[in-house]
Amino acid sequence: MRVAVIALNTFKEAVRDRILYAILVFALVMLAGSTILVTISVDGEEKIIKDLGLACISIFGLLIATFLGTGLVSKEIEKRTLYTIISKPIHRYQFILGKYLGLVMTLLVNVGVMGLGLIGLAYIWEGTSSVRLLLAVLFIFLELVLVTAIAMLFSAFSSPALSALFTLCLFVAGHLSADLRLFAAQFGGAATKLLAEVLFFLLPNLSRLNLKDQTVHGIAIDGGTMALSVVYAIFYVAALVLAAMAIFQRRDFK
Amino acid sequence: MNAIETEKLGKEYRIGFWRKRICVLSQLDLTVHEGEVFGYLGPNGAGKTTTLKLLTGLLRPTSGKAKVLGRPPGDVVMQQQVGFLPEQPSFYEYLTGRELLNFYGQLVGLDRPTRREQIEGLARQLRIESALDLQLRKYSKGMLQRLGLAQALLNDPRLVLLDEPMSGLDPIGRWEVRDLLLRLKSEGRTVFFSSHIIPDVEMVCDRVGILVGGRLVAQGPIDDILGAQIASIEVTASQVPPEVMAELGYLLVTQSVPRGERLLLTVKDEAALAELLTRLLDCKATIHAIAPHRESLEEYFIRYVQPRETP
Ligand SMILES: Nc1ncnc2c1ncn2[C@@H]1O[C@H](COP(=O)(O)OP(=O)(O)O)[C@@H](O)[C@H]1O
Ligand SMILES: [Mg+2]
């Protein structure tokens, strides 16, 4: 109940933030503009529309997740708005969970709007089935949910700017870790292999959540693998949120 | 049970690159009885805000312990019965006053009709009715302070903790807050508030604590704290012959102050007064008034605080 109150209010904050609308409008314009351009110039190259569109959603989603995520808790501390909230009968972990869920809701709406835009565009230009595309967008959302948790965890103990930097680095690393492991397994020595394995285990395996290639190139996606990916993401997010709660629980608000 | 009880409560901060320790509060033994208005006085940087943050669970003590309404600070059961106004409160700017109070009302677990009733009632009491539907970014400092008071009272608290509740208010606003504190007391609530402005405290408090440099230097009823201090007595007289006046110098605490025809003579205690009066009557001077002059909290404060470094 109290978690929901915090979450809804966090969502309200995002809804009343003009910058978010600006990003969203910009993303939609980019989406439409690029697909139109492609359709006009490259004859019948439908793959590019989806490719570009999904990349567009991914990037703007990443921006929103990172910048809202890193400010989620640190801004409350910096602006001292949380003094009157933490001193109300609410547990600190409830506050963290509420803030997090509020941002997840915000992301859902944003990714939803962009995703619908892309599906609509794909339909207009190609009249193709959109289930695949919807799935890819859902997985982008899942990835962003994870990125948000990373951003929030970093911001629980460092400045927003540093947190954003760390988050973006981890995003890149998370996409490369699987490749790195493959690479090390083929060419590396024992130590390199071990290091790659450890990194692969610790870093979020974001390439797991990337269905863009399969979607664009129409490669079959195994249902079991997908379900496992979802479970993986949920556990990873839970671990991150719990860590953020643990840090927040012991913090002094000076 | 006492409303607030601390035992050797202490807080150290670590500052700078070398994480040097600085002690901002040490060995605080504070007792606030239920049903009283307690004024927590101290100059800037004395550690008042630190104490309030320790009591609300925003900070964790480095030593000692505290009990608020018999429970540890930060405990939800305690928070349900406590209202807190932070120093220079800051709220979500994108909400209107009503939305904000509604949000806090939900956090303290009030149902919708109670919320509405409380918000209307408090807005009327604190005179922010007309601003309720305005976004907070348009609020003045004084209005934010009033809104802060309203949010602290939403849950009908048994104990109210206020950090500098009169700051940011104009003279009328200060009067209203004093009134409010007295009303809260008459409703049976305990009020603990910090201030560095003495008249605000003097007028409404049952008891005060005086904090200087992180140490509680006095605690108790104002009369007790001041009663232990030397009082002075003022005598107003006229037609005192100059040669007598010259001899009286040794009895006076300060130089005599001419007030038109009259002279204001200040002596230290009753013995000096007796002697002064004898001499005055002997020389047929007229005595107009004798007024005992108790040391004000302000004088006490200045005397105590001045020799120390105040940041
Ligand atoms: N975050 C902090 N880090 C280091 N020192 C602090 C911090 N906050 C407050 N202080 C110091 O602690 C002392 C007490 O501060 P405070 O409790 O705010 O005093 P008051 O409310 O009585 O003005 C001051 O000397 C202040 O400089
Ligand atoms: Mg203060």
Side-chain angles (χ1 to χ4, degrees):
Chain A
M1 170 59 203
R2 291 187 160 98
V3 175
V5 174
I6 300 282
L8 283 174
N9 192 63
T10 306
F11 181 67
K12 193 184 261 179
E13 171 170 12
V15 168
R16 293 195 182 172
D17 193 346
R18 286 193 200 97
I19 295 173
L20 200 63
Y21 287 107
I23 293 179
L24 197 58
V25 168
F26 189 65
L28 287 175
V29 169
M30 286 276 289
L31 209 62
S34 58
T35 50
I36 289 167
L37 261 178
V38 166
T39 329
I40 293 167
S41 59
V42 191
D43 194 30
E45 197 51 280
E46 61 169 79
K47 282 171 192 153
I48 296 182
I49 296 179
K50 290 178 183 170
D51 209 5
L52 264 177
L54 288 175
C56 200
I57 294 177
S58 201
I59 288 171
F60 282 103
L62 179 67
L63 282 181
I64 297 174
T66 306
F67 290 106
L68 292 190
T70 50
L72 202 58
V73 178
S74 54
K75 220 171 65 192
E76 298 256 357
I77 297 175
E78 189 194 325
K79 292 194 172 173
R80 296 180 295 114
T81 43
L82 93 176
Y83 288 3
T84 42
I85 297 171
I86 293 294
S87 55
K88 294 276 183 287
I90 174 172
H91 294 286
R92 289 185 181 191
Y93 67 82
Q94 291 176 315
F95 177 75
I96 289 287
L97 190 59
K99 292 299 288 183
Y100 179 67
L101 292 179
L103 185 44
V104 168
M105 257 197 283
T106 310
L107 276 173
L108 184 65
V109 170
N110 278 283
V111 173
V113 170
M114 291 191 283
L116 287 181
L118 177 62
I119 290 169
L121 282 170
Y123 182 77
I124 292 169
W125 296 116
E126 297 154 6
T128 50
S129 76
S130 51
V131 179
R132 272 284 182 97
L133 211 48
L134 187 65
L135 209 59
V137 172
L138 267 178
F139 268 76
I140 290 179
F141 171 65
L142 205 58
E143 180 182 1
L144 294 177
V145 166
L146 208 158
V147 171
T148 305
I150 295 173
M152 182 174 77
L153 177 58
F154 280 133
S155 81
F157 59 85
S158 71
S159 74
L162 269 184
S163 306
L165 189 68
F166 288 153
T167 307
L168 292 176
C169 285
L170 213 57
F171 176 81
V172 173
H175 272 286
L176 295 180
S177 69
D179 290 344
L180 194 75
R181 182 196 189 204
L182 266 179
F183 190 75
Q186 280 184 1
F187 305 108
T192 322
K193 273 181 195 160
L194 186 69
L195 182 69
E197 284 296 326
V198 170
L199 276 179
F200 176 73
F201 182 73
L202 288 179
L203 291 174
N205 184 359
L206 294 178
S207 46
R208 250 208 111 111
L209 303 176
N210 187 356
L211 300 187
K212 294 187 197 82
D213 292 345
Q214 287 98 314
T215 307
V216 171
H217 299 295
I219 304 166
I221 309 167
D222 173 41
T225 316
M226 228 159 45
L228 216 58
S229 297
V230 174
V231 172
Y232 172 78
I234 289 173
F235 270 93
Y236 208 100
V237 165
L240 290 169
V241 174
L242 283 175
M245 284 173 179
I247 292 174
F248 195 67
Q249 191 67 34
R250 285 186 284 141
R251 255 197 90 136
D252 265 359
F253 300 115
K254 295 178 182 173
Chain B
M1 189 183 66
N2 288 316
I4 299 174
E5 232 173 61
T6 71
E7 208 183 303
K8 302 219 178 337
L9 194 65
K11 181 70 189 174
E12 284 174 354
Y13 283 128
R14 289 172 165 269
I15 52 163
F17 183 74
W18 303 108
R19 318 271 298 143
K20 200 175 120 237
R21 287 157 188 263
I22 50 164
C23 182
V24 296
L25 197 67
S26 72
Q27 305 275 320
L28 179 72
D29 290 319
L30 195 68
T31 310
V32 177
H33 305 143
E34 228 169 326
E36 72 181 0
V37 178
F38 189 100
Y40 198 44
L41 259 176
N44 289 327
K48 304 181 295 293
T49 300
T50 305
T51 309
L52 276 151
K53 284 186 181 174
L54 287 167
L55 293 177
T56 45
L58 290 169
L59 290 178
R60 280 160 215 260
T62 10
S63 58
K65 55 183 174 188
K67 282 250 157 91
V68 181
L69 297 175
R71 306 190 71 99
D75 173 280
V76 271
V77 178
M78 161 237 148
Q79 285 170 333
Q80 186 67 55
Q81 308 177 61
V82 172
F84 173 50
L85 170 73
E87 186 174 22
Q88 293 171 6
S90 142
F91 305 110
Y92 293 135
E93 288 190 328
Y94 53 89
L95 294 182
T96 66
R98 191 187 306 278
E99 284 172 330
L100 187 86
L101 291 177
N102 204 41
F103 168 69
Y104 286 126
Q106 285 175 303
L107 285 185
V108 296
L110 301 180
D111 59 22
R112 193 186 293 264
T114 320
R115 281 204 304 271
R116 184 172 308 153
E117 196 181 313
Q118 279 289 74
I119 292 171
E120 295 296 332
L122 286 167
R124 204 173 321 114
Q125 271 183 40
L126 291 157
R127 301 205 298 115
I128 45 171
E129 277 165 305
S130 56
L132 267 188
D133 291 309
L134 213 59
Q135 268 201 339
L136 295 195
R137 60 178 102 248
K138 295 179 187 135
Y139 271 46
S140 70
K141 217 176 145 199
M143 276 150 73
L144 283 175
Q145 191 75 6
R146 287 159 192 267
L147 190 68
L149 284 164
Q151 66 77 32
L153 299 175
L154 268 177
N155 57 333
D156 194 15
R158 257 171 76 194
L159 168 66
V160 191
L161 303 172
L162 311 169
D163 198 354
E164 310 257 359
M166 283 112 170
S167 80
L169 294 176
D170 55 23
I172 297 170
R174 308 176 90 86
W175 255 116
E176 287 172 348
V177 171
R178 272 180 226 174
D179 257 15
L180 176 74
L181 298 187
L182 291 174
R183 188 165 66 239
L184 293 175
K185 181 191 165 177
S186 73
E187 289 165 355
R189 301 178 215 273
T190 313
V191 180
F192 177 89
F193 76 99
S194 78
S195 178
H196 62 269
I197 297 159
I198 298 153
D200 289 346
V201 175
E202 213 160 16
M203 294 196 60
V204 293
C205 289
D206 299 305
R207 296 198 314 133
V208 298
I210 298 177
L211 191 73
V212 182
R215 290 178 181 278
L216 196 66
V217 296
Q219 172 175 221
I222 295 182
D223 288 342
D224 286 8
I225 291 179
L226 299 180
Q229 306 308 316
I230 316 132
S232 62
I233 305 162
E234 287 175 358
V235 177
T236 317
S238 60
Q239 288 157 347
V240 189
E243 65 274 15
V244 178
M245 203 49 245
E247 283 172 29
L248 285 175
Y250 76 99
L251 283 171
L252 304 180
V253 183
T254 57
Q255 290 234 314
S256 62
V257 183
R259 291 264 168 91
E261 296 281 281
R262 302 173 180 187
L263 275 176
L264 191 67
L265 308 167
T266 311
V267 293
K268 191 162 140 274
D269 51 23
E270 282 88 350
L273 176 69
E275 199 167 339
L276 178 70
L277 291 181
T278 321
R279 301 293 294 268
L280 289 177
L281 292 172
D282 280 353
C283 68
K284 302 266 184 315
T286 316
I287 296 167
H288 301 278
I290 303 171
H293 183 69
R294 197 183 70 171
E295 187 179 39
S296 72
L297 201 51
E298 191 141 16
E299 285 161 321
Y300 174 90
F301 202 64
I302 288 168
R303 213 155 47 76
Y304 223 108
V305 172
Q306 230 165 22
R308 299 171 197 240
E309 194 78 12
T310 48

